[in-house]
Amino acid sequence: AQSVTQLDSHVSVSEGTPVLLRCNYSSSYSPSLFWYVQHPNKGLQLLLKYTSAATLVKGINGFEAEFKKSETSFHLTKPSAHMSDAAEYFCVVSDAGSQGNLIFGKGTKLSVKP
Amino acid sequence: DVKVTQSSRYLVKRTGEKVFLECVQDMDHENMFWYRQDPGLGLRLIYFSYDVKMKEKGDIPEGYSVSREKKERFSLILESASTNQTSMYLCASSLGTGAGNSPLHFGNGTRLTVT
């Protein structure tokens, strides 16, 4: 069975410092992995996705994530946080080729201090 | 850009009412989904549809039904609203090549309060 665990419910960083949002997954098959961002009172927006190509995936707004099969991790990083990055972030796992079978993590709220 | 439009941003309904939440997408996507989002619980799948008139139960279908009469429109129905259905409801769509490779495109959500 698939599952996804976001290790921190809340992360706080200062503007200009690095961001690390942690995600571990469990999947019986070759997974597809996604990160979504949700700004207040908005729907979710795709940040990036991994689908068995390059293990380092670059997304929008300077974010990237690295797929590490040996660690079953897909952590999201950004070298320098911006105030506009303050939002909730969701890690999502899916079995490749499945339809509708997406599992969402419980989310990590990112706060950015000036 | 794909646009997923949810008809209401905020709704307040009374216990026992029948409630319709409407969702329309403009990119000819085969798959459509309804999620509810609650603090600390993340997103949970209620129902999804991979074709017109087709529907599949998600993780929490009890108390809900859906309708997909046209490809672009996916409706969520609360047959008899209850206070525990107070939540944020999110609609999403994706291409029909398999959700594993096809990202979801979300609407802005409907915040439903049942009193």
Side-chain angles (χ1 to χ4, degrees):
Chain A
Q2 307 162 91
S3 66
V4 58
T5 302
Q6 291 184 243
L7 296 162
D8 306 292
S9 58
H10 195 180
V11 169
S12 182
V13 301
S14 296
E15 191 174 22
T17 64
V19 175
L20 170 63
L21 305 182
R22 298 181 296 165
C23 173
N24 286 112
Y25 71 91
S26 170
S27 178
S28 304
Y29 305 98
S30 178
S32 293
L33 293 156
F34 307 83
W35 276 99
Y36 284 82
V37 60
Q38 185 180 31
H39 290 279
N41 298 315
K42 295 284 188 183
L44 279 72
Q45 179 187 14
L46 180 69
L47 266 182
L48 50 81
K49 66 176 182 178
Y50 166 79
T51 53
S52 75
T55 57
L56 183 62
V57 182
K58 293 191 184 299
I60 62 172
N61 300 334
F63 284 94
E64 61 183 35
E66 187 171 7
F67 173 71
K68 291 188 176 179
K69 188 174 181 179
S70 60
E71 299 176 11
T72 61
S73 69
F74 190 57
H75 301 334
L76 182 70
T77 60
K78 183 173 180 177
S80 176
H82 192 273
M83 296 296 291
S84 61
D85 295 328
E88 191 156 21
Y89 293 79
F90 293 91
C91 182
V92 182
V93 66
S94 170
D95 286 341
S98 70
Q99 213 147 4
N101 197 18
L102 296 175
I103 307 298
F104 282 76
K106 289 187 169 39
T108 298
K109 190 168 185 180
L110 176 65
S111 300
V112 182
K113 298 175 288 188
Chain B
D1 263 0
V2 177
K3 190 161 185 183
V4 179
T5 304
Q6 294 183 232
S7 55
S8 303
R9 193 78 181 90
Y10 299 95
L11 271 180
V12 180
K13 296 292 181 180
R14 293 194 181 277
T15 301
E17 277 193 80
K18 190 168 186 176
V19 181
F20 292 86
L21 303 183
E22 306 287 349
C23 175
V24 177
Q25 51 95 2
D26 66 358
M27 280 300 290
D28 204 35
H29 282 174
E30 286 81 6
N31 299 335
M32 295 189 75
F33 307 81
W34 276 106
Y35 291 87
R36 64 176 283 177
Q37 183 179 18
D38 301 287
L41 297 178
L43 273 74
R44 293 178 291 168
L45 182 64
I46 304 171
Y47 268 98
F48 67 100
S49 167
Y50 53 86
D51 201 353
V52 175
K53 296 192 186 295
M54 305 300 286
K55 61 184 179 184
E56 294 285 342
K57 292 180 180 179
D59 300 317
I60 51 164
E62 296 78 18
Y64 303 94
S65 62
V66 290
S67 172
R68 193 158 180 213
E69 296 297 319
K70 293 185 178 181
K71 191 175 186 180
E72 67 270 19
R73 185 180 296 270
F74 192 36
S75 304
L76 180 69
I77 304 153
L78 285 66
E79 298 290 344
S80 177
S82 63
T83 55
N84 63 12
Q85 293 178 309
T86 292
S87 186
M88 170 71 92
Y89 290 88
L90 291 166
C91 176
S93 71
S94 70
L95 286 169
T97 53
N101 288 316
S102 181
L104 296 175
H105 299 266
F106 283 87
N108 281 334
T110 296
R111 188 168 293 281
L112 173 67
T113 302
V114 182
T115 61

